Amino acid sequence: MSRTLVIGDIHGGFKALKEVLERASVTQNDQLIFLGDYVDGWSESSQIIQFLIELSEKQKCIFIKGNHDAWCEDWLTLGQKPDVWLFNGGKNTIESYVDYSLEELDIHLEFFQRMKNYHIDDQNRLFIHAGYASMHGPEKEVYSSNYRWDRTLWETAVAMDKKLQRNSELYPKRLLLYKEIFIGHTPTLEIGIKIPANKANIWNMDTGAAYTGSLSIMDIDTKQFWQSDPLPSLYPNENGRN
């Protein structure tokens, strides 16, 4: 039976990615939706991109673009290395590309360029890296950077009164647009949660793999999930983004 599985922010943790795919017993029949931020953090960013390119040739994959991926794409395209990127994991990403030929770099750049800003499935479930500010949804977003940077959507869900019903006039209009919303970008560790966190109709899949947390993968229908070991234990001689 085929499943649709959603995967949170990986941040260069290739060992963690291999662990969750194995623990979830992923087969070629499963569809995989990646929520972005494949790079920046642990030392294996380029290896992850290479693996994902090859994986997408074997099974259905949807790749959402995260803010870190946009930075990496700018570097591959224009050679841009802003300090804010270097300080937030970019240095490790550049180092992971040291042995790549120009031809290989071009193949990776094409992969970044093909990534989607968001995906809406046939059950009106939204998959997006960070969020959106428009009351009319991501299609009407004025600033496309919000797809990769917005935290207000998640903050709204976290701050909501748990007793608020969907039919209440006070229920946030942005959340009513979709049956469910799957995001990454803001680590659940910030609210003391180490597993995929559900607030209102949002599922946050960023369980802090860039820092002290684990990488998570979840079946979007059953909500069963699997996690890697905490990333510092997989990369004991590295700091990630800690």
Side-chain angles (χ1 to χ4, degrees):
M1 201 176 84
S2 67
R3 301 171 294 174
T4 299
L5 301 161
V6 64
I7 297 121
D9 306 32
I10 307 167
H11 284 294
F14 189 25
K15 292 176 184 174
L17 177 58
K18 287 186 281 193
E19 266 190 0
V20 294
L21 295 177
E22 193 176 310
R23 288 175 183 177
S25 304
V26 171
T27 73
Q28 292 186 6
N29 296 325
D30 295 320
Q31 174 177 241
L32 302 173
I33 302 178
F34 293 86
L35 293 173
D37 280 5
Y38 311 95
V39 300
D40 300 351
W42 308 98
S43 60
E44 299 187 281
S45 288
S46 66
Q47 292 89 330
I48 287 170
I49 300 301
Q50 185 60 37
F51 173 80
L52 293 177
I53 290 170
E54 293 166 15
L55 185 70
S56 66
E57 291 164 1
K58 297 178 205 153
Q59 70 195 93
K60 190 161 185 206
C61 295
I62 291 169
F63 301 106
I64 307 294
K65 187 181 292 183
N67 54 304
H68 287 267
D69 311 315
W71 274 330
C72 189
E73 183 183 345
D74 286 345
W75 170 65
L76 288 168
T77 311
L78 306 163
Q80 290 182 345
K81 294 188 276 190
D83 285 346
V84 65
W85 178 50
L86 295 176
F87 289 140
N88 284 288
K91 194 164 166 291
N92 285 344
T93 297
I94 291 171
E95 285 168 6
S96 78
Y97 273 107
V98 154
D99 297 324
Y100 281 67
S101 67
L102 286 175
E103 189 179 19
E104 289 167 332
L105 290 174
D106 276 344
I107 291 167
H108 281 219
L109 173 57
E110 282 172 23
F111 180 72
F112 281 101
Q113 290 170 335
R114 286 197 306 271
M115 288 176 190
K116 299 178 69 166
N117 285 324
Y118 57 89
H119 170 69
I120 302 167
D121 73 5
D122 57 5
Q123 291 188 42
N124 196 33
R125 293 179 287 202
L126 171 70
F127 302 84
I128 193 164
H129 178 63
Y132 53 93
S134 171
M135 290 299 163
H136 305 288
E139 300 94 334
K140 305 283 192 209
E141 195 64 81
V142 177
Y143 301 105
S144 61
S145 58
N146 278 341
Y147 303 138
R148 294 181 279 283
W149 286 100
D150 176 82
R151 294 190 203 274
T152 65
L153 195 74
W154 175 239
E155 287 174 347
T156 297
V158 169
M160 269 171 64
D161 183 341
K162 292 178 181 60
K163 295 192 283 291
L164 205 57
Q165 299 294 317
R166 275 183 81 101
N167 58 4
S168 165
E169 286 181 13
L170 297 175
Y171 202 91
K173 304 288 183 286
R174 282 190 293 168
L175 299 181
L176 290 171
L177 296 170
Y178 300 100
K179 180 183 172 186
E180 288 180 313
I181 301 169
F182 295 85
I183 63 165
H185 189 54
T186 307
T188 59
L189 301 180
E190 291 183 6
I191 54 170
I193 297 175
K194 295 181 178 180
I195 60 175
N198 175 219
K199 299 291 179 184
N201 63 336
I202 298 182
W203 281 92
N204 186 342
M205 293 298 301
D206 180 359
T207 48
Y211 303 100
T212 58
S214 305
L215 178 64
S216 298
I217 184 171
M218 186 169 77
D219 182 323
I220 65 169
D221 293 308
T222 66
K223 304 301 187 281
Q224 184 178 5
F225 66 89
W226 300 262
Q227 292 188 291
S228 70
D229 292 347
L231 274 286
S233 70
L234 296 175
Y235 294 93
N237 301 317
E238 299 180 27
N239 295 324
R241 294 180 62 209
N242 292 300

